Amino acid sequence: MISKRLSAIVNLIKNDNNIADIGSDHGYVLLELRKKGFVSRLMGVENKKNPFLHLKENVARSGYQNIECAYSDGLNDVDNEFKTIVIAGMGFDIIKNIILSNKEKLKYINNIIIDSHTDKSKVRPFFISLGYDIDDEVVIFEDDIYYDLVSFKKCNNIQKYTMEELEFGKTNLLNKSNDFKNMIIDEINKNITIIQKINDPSSLRVGELNKRNDYLRGIIK
Ligand SMILES: C[S@@+](CC[C@H](N)C(=O)[O-])C[C@H]1O[C@@H](n2cnc3c(N)ncnc32)[C@H](O)[C@@H]1O
């Protein structure tokens, strides 16, 4: 059985329209898509030898004949038939670099599913600036980590978002799931720990952290 995070990523893929998983590693997302009955082209891309071998091995072992494996960097070998890309389990700078190195390929890509493990607040504004609107999103908690998963769809008429919606997601703010609320509480608690360590109520950093915590408390009220 695949992990809760990978299963949530698969659930965000709604269109069976040729899907490339960039940084596929084990290939579990692609195998799960086939298992779910997705019939379109599937491609796993890996730019490192061992994960690539791992990917090829898992695909071969699965018995599915038609999952392509590319030993390649980012979107370099993703042709214009691919309409959905998944980039999961990486830092935001790598994700951004993968996209900007092949920006012209976005012309063909309609759906993008992102699981960034750093700088989560930059994810939504970045993809919105490239002409994608938020299609769906979910926060999940697994192995002591909160994951903020977002799917984007190409859109000519992108909604206007508030600052809070850009950082946390409109759907997440409406649903206020337990995992979402706990993610916010976790940040508040981490900030309190830092404040206690600084132990100087007049310091600028403490002021900033207290302000951030007031803002976060407002989010989950
Ligand atoms: C931490 S793993 C995540 C694997 C899987 N996507 C997941 O979410 O479980 C990140 C993978 O991305 C691959 N990777 C990083 N940068 C890449 C790039 N520019 N092109 C292709 N693969 C890349 C790494 O080799 C690594 O296997």
Side-chain angles (χ1 to χ4, degrees):
M1 208 175 85
I2 62 171
S3 70
K4 191 173 161 188
R5 177 182 65 90
L6 291 174
S7 174
I9 289 170
V10 169
N11 286 336
L12 287 173
I13 304 171
K14 288 165 192 151
N15 297 308
D16 190 2
N17 57 359
N18 299 336
I19 299 147
D21 182 18
I22 315 299
S24 197
D25 194 357
H26 34 66
Y28 292 157
V29 164
L30 302 173
L31 300 181
E32 187 67 13
L33 287 170
R34 272 286 180 267
K35 200 168 142 198
K36 275 184 85 173
F38 279 57
V39 295
S40 67
R41 283 179 71 192
L42 299 180
M43 179 196 259
V45 178
E46 255 304 331
N47 72 345
K48 287 173 202 77
K49 199 165 175 199
N50 281 338
F52 174 68
L53 295 175
H54 198 196
L55 167 68
K56 265 191 31 170
E57 216 175 275
N58 280 350
V59 167
R61 204 179 304 134
S62 75
Y64 295 121
Q65 302 296 317
N66 49 359
I67 297 178
E68 300 159 52
C69 301
Y71 186 29
S72 168
D73 198 323
L75 299 174
N76 287 356
D77 284 343
V78 174
D79 65 57
N80 59 20
E81 285 188 1
F82 284 93
K83 303 298 174 204
T84 293
I85 56 166
V86 178
I87 313 181
M90 290 176 222
F92 177 68
D93 285 343
I94 297 177
I95 294 174
K96 193 171 158 186
N97 191 42
I98 287 171
I99 296 291
L100 295 183
S101 308
N102 276 288
K103 205 174 160 196
E104 72 289 349
K105 296 208 172 177
L106 294 182
K107 207 156 88 192
Y108 306 102
I109 294 168
N110 298 329
N111 303 91
I112 303 180
I113 287 84
I114 296 294
D115 163 26
S116 174
H117 289 184
T118 64
D119 289 324
K120 293 174 192 171
S121 62
K122 295 183 183 171
V123 170
R124 290 175 183 82
F126 175 68
F127 284 96
I128 285 172
S129 78
L130 294 171
Y132 291 84
D133 204 354
I134 300 161
D135 185 35
D136 202 357
E137 54 202 0
V138 65
V139 170
I140 61 141
F141 181 65
E142 185 174 53
D143 296 335
D144 272 340
I145 299 173
Y146 291 95
Y147 298 98
D148 184 7
L149 314 177
V150 192
S151 84
F152 296 91
K153 63 169 182 221
K154 192 174 272 164
C155 184
N156 291 325
N157 190 14
I158 293 174
Q159 294 183 57
K160 292 266 174 288
Y161 293 102
T162 64
M163 203 178 72
E164 290 86 347
E165 287 167 348
L166 281 178
E167 179 168 2
F168 298 107
K170 193 172 179 173
T171 305
N172 287 330
L173 289 166
L174 280 171
N175 290 347
K176 288 203 174 84
S177 69
N178 284 339
D179 285 345
F180 174 76
K181 283 194 276 189
N182 288 335
M183 177 181 75
I184 303 284
I185 292 166
D186 185 60
E187 185 181 337
I188 293 174
N189 289 337
K190 282 182 177 142
N191 289 342
I192 291 173
T193 306
I194 300 170
I195 291 167
Q196 285 165 347
K197 275 194 187 137
I198 297 174
N199 196 19
D200 173 9
S202 65
S203 94
L204 198 67
R205 183 77 186 122
V206 167
E208 282 168 1
L209 290 169
N210 277 324
K211 201 166 152 203
R212 172 81 180 161
N213 274 358
D214 288 344
Y215 170 70
L216 292 172
R217 287 185 188 103
I219 294 286
I220 50 169
K221 211 161 52 189

